[in-house]
Amino acid sequence: MKLRKAACMKHILIAFLMMLGCLANAAEGKTVEPDQLVQEMTNDLLNSMEQYRETVDANPEPFFDYLESRLNNIIDFPWIAKNVMGPYRDGATDDQQERFAKVFRRGLVETYGRGLLSYSDEKIEVMPLEGGANGKRKVSIDQKIYGKTDVYPVSYSMGLNRDGEWKITNVILNGVNLGKTFRNQFIQAAKQHDGDIDKVIENWAAKV
């Protein structure tokens, strides 16, 4: 069962990175429907990762720095991090919120980066966005990842911000709501540390 879950997460993480790389190109000024971006840019992202495969084990920082620079413009990390903090957000200082957003972002980048590097030949199908994204401020992009024996569904929540940029706000991985999962983890950690946000952040960074 553990191996099955690990394989499932691998496929999902791969697809997530592919999509984020596609959307990063949209942030650079290309006007393309979100579902088209996913379909057209997958191979380009994978090809750009090839240069890091042989060196990432010995020196992973350049790869993670590169990936973070691409994802930072398309994922609303500060917004997601604040929501992950849940009821403890209002009592946290600006500095604490900024530090948590930083370690939270790096943790996701490293996790998904390692998933991307493990990509082999999985088939990924992007579901058309019915009616397109014109006139909408929120959309959901669905994917199907075909493994050797199973098909894994992924759903990406995206919102249009005030600057007219599409931002990732949440991901549902094979039925698991990532935002809610991280929020529950933060709340549990805060309770374990008697509400000490600094200790929660330090512990989160140590896990990264």
Side-chain angles (χ1 to χ4, degrees):
M1 181 62 72
K2 289 184 178 180
L3 291 176
R4 183 183 179 88
K5 289 182 178 179
C8 172
M9 287 303 297
K10 170 195 170 186
H11 294 308
I12 291 170
L13 295 177
I14 288 168
F16 189 36
L17 259 294
M18 289 177 179
M19 182 179 179
L20 297 180
C22 300
L23 295 175
N25 284 275
E28 294 172 0
K30 296 182 180 180
T31 306
V32 185
E33 293 288 331
D35 53 344
Q36 294 176 346
L37 284 169
V38 177
Q39 189 67 53
E40 296 172 2
M41 296 302 297
T42 293
N43 290 337
D44 289 342
L45 178 63
L46 289 176
N47 291 335
S48 69
M49 296 294 102
E50 288 300 322
Q51 60 182 305
Y52 294 100
R53 288 189 187 276
E54 296 183 358
T55 60
V56 69
D57 288 337
N59 185 24
E61 292 307 310
F63 169 61
F64 292 139
D65 289 343
Y66 162 78
L67 194 58
E68 185 170 350
S69 68
R70 295 198 67 176
L71 303 186
N72 201 39
N73 289 328
I74 193 61
I75 304 178
D76 197 340
F77 283 113
W79 187 91
I80 295 175
K82 287 181 179 179
N83 279 273
V84 167
M85 296 180 79
Y88 293 92
R89 176 184 59 196
D90 293 338
T93 65
D94 291 342
D95 176 69
Q96 288 173 326
Q97 292 186 28
E98 291 176 4
R99 284 190 288 118
F100 178 68
K102 182 178 180 180
V103 299
F104 178 78
R105 177 180 67 237
R106 193 64 175 191
L108 285 182
V109 167
E110 294 190 11
T111 299
Y112 295 137
R114 295 188 187 281
L116 179 63
L117 289 171
S118 69
Y119 175 80
S120 54
D121 58 354
E122 286 83 356
K123 174 186 175 182
I124 299 178
E125 181 181 8
V126 180
M127 302 296 103
L129 180 60
E130 186 175 352
N134 291 335
K136 299 178 180 178
R137 300 200 63 84
K138 295 182 179 180
V139 297
S140 179
I141 305 297
D142 296 325
Q143 283 183 330
K144 291 182 179 179
I145 309 167
Y146 295 86
K148 293 183 179 180
T149 59
D150 297 287
V151 179
Y152 307 103
V154 186
S155 180
Y156 307 91
S157 298
M158 299 174 57
L160 193 65
N161 66 13
R162 296 179 180 178
D163 297 323
E165 300 172 329
W166 287 103
K167 296 282 188 177
I168 296 291
T169 57
N170 196 20
V171 184
I172 298 178
L173 314 174
N174 203 34
V176 178
N177 188 309
L178 193 64
K180 289 183 178 179
T181 298
F182 282 126
R183 175 182 288 198
N184 290 337
Q185 291 177 357
F186 189 97
I187 292 175
Q188 183 179 7
K191 290 180 179 178
Q192 290 176 346
H193 295 291
D194 297 323
D196 190 328
I197 303 301
D198 288 327
K199 289 185 178 179
V200 175
I201 296 173
E202 291 171 4
N203 184 62
W204 204 288
K207 290 182 179 180
V208 174

